[in-house]
Amino acid sequence: MFVASWCAPCHGELARLAEIVRGAQPYRILVVPFDETRPTRAMLERVPPAQRWHPDRGTQRRLATEVEHRSAGLPFSLALDRDAQICAAHAEALDAASAAAMVAACCR
């Protein structure tokens, strides 16, 4: 899940994170900062450390480019398979049902 402090629906996603995690099983949910601003970093402090992902700058730029190509903005989520290839994308606020649908698309 890509999040940023300026994305109002992203705050709602984080409030429902436990529900989304249950819907995404057996996949893991990782929350990725879309930007490195102080407010976004503060927002991520509400996320359990095991669910935060701070990719290196190159990976972060590559993923941000994917978001920009696949969506008009945030909220946005990607599912990656075991080979780190994108197998599903969701360009709206994520909930348990949409997380489960992403997992199903990846398991085909």
Side-chain angles (χ1 to χ4, degrees):
M1 289 175 24
F2 293 91
V3 299
S5 61
W6 45 263
C7 168
C10 296
H11 291 274
E13 284 181 317
L14 292 183
R16 295 186 310 278
L17 187 57
E19 166 194 328
I20 294 167
V21 166
R22 285 190 298 275
Q25 291 177 349
Y27 275 49
R28 290 184 320 150
I29 294 288
L30 297 176
V31 179
V32 183
F34 188 74
D35 59 41
E36 290 294 329
T37 63
R38 184 174 295 138
T40 298
R41 287 194 309 267
M43 180 182 179
L44 261 67
E45 290 177 9
R46 299 188 328 232
V47 176
Q51 289 181 280
R52 297 180 205 162
W53 184 34
H54 293 277
D56 61 73
R57 291 248 188 241
T59 301
Q60 188 174 22
R61 275 192 293 267
R62 181 178 63 86
L63 293 173
T65 299
E66 284 294 328
V67 172
E68 291 170 359
H69 282 92
R70 294 173 179 257
S71 175
L74 298 180
F76 187 79
S77 299
L78 289 173
L80 305 178
D81 63 18
R82 292 186 188 275
D83 299 320
Q85 299 301 309
I86 297 168
C87 56
H90 188 77
E92 298 175 359
L94 199 60
D95 59 21
S98 54
M102 290 179 74
V103 169
C106 290
C107 292
R108 290 186 194 145

